[in-house]
Amino acid sequence: MPRSERSPLLLAGLLATAGVAHFAAPRPFDATIPRGLPGTPRTWTYASGAAELALAAGLALPRTRKAAALAAAAFFVGVFPANVKMAADWRHRPTPQKTAAFARLPLQVPLVLWARGVARNAEGRS
């Protein structure tokens, strides 16, 4: 299978794995929810996990791939504040944890670009 055909499935797999993790072990995700959001952190954790699962399903299907990929790009931008909160909260942790938390911040850029690339490659294929 060519790389361009695997790319949406790999992105779907990443999102599906993250979505399942939100339900299987929600506590670490709860801690990343910015305090200013209405409702409980657990509600946001589950909503985020459900969104990731829905995006994964959309990416897996060629008919919905473009829309799902564009939505995934927006999702990656939308969860950036949670990553910033995690980095700020973890700034006094041991170096490996602090490094991991801060490394997540620039990783959002390639995720957004990856999703946009999947959307671009999906054009004209529906």
Side-chain angles (χ1 to χ4, degrees), residues 31 85-94 97-102:
K85 182 181 182 310
M86 180 180 175
D89 290 348
W90 285 27
R91 67 187 179 279
H92 301 297
R93 290 204 178 184
Q97 291 177 330
K98 180 172 42 177
T99 300
F102 278 92

Side-chain angles (χ1 to χ4, degrees), residues 1-123:
M1 179 182 287
R3 183 178 183 193
S4 64
E5 290 179 28
R6 282 194 317 262
S7 185
L9 301 179
L10 291 171
L11 184 56
L14 175 81
L15 283 161
T17 300
V20 168
H22 279 70
F23 289 96
R27 187 173 292 164
F29 297 100
D30 292 347
T32 69
I33 305 300
R35 296 185 219 283
L37 292 174
T40 66
R42 182 61 49 93
T43 299
W44 284 100
T45 294
Y46 286 156
S48 178
E52 287 169 323
L53 292 171
L55 290 168
L59 285 163
L61 301 170
R63 179 178 264 165
T64 56
R65 184 165 293 152
K66 181 179 178 183
L70 292 172
F75 178 83
F76 292 137
V77 171
V79 299
F80 187 72
N83 293 339
V84 170
K85 182 181 182 310
M86 180 180 175
D89 290 348
W90 285 27
R91 67 187 179 279
H92 301 297
R93 290 204 178 184
T95 300
Q97 291 177 330
K98 180 172 42 177
T99 300
F102 278 92
R104 289 183 66 178
L105 299 177
L107 283 176
Q108 292 301 112
V109 173
L111 287 173
V112 170
L113 295 176
W114 184 9
R116 288 185 60 212
V118 168
R120 196 170 26 261
N121 288 334
E123 289 184 51

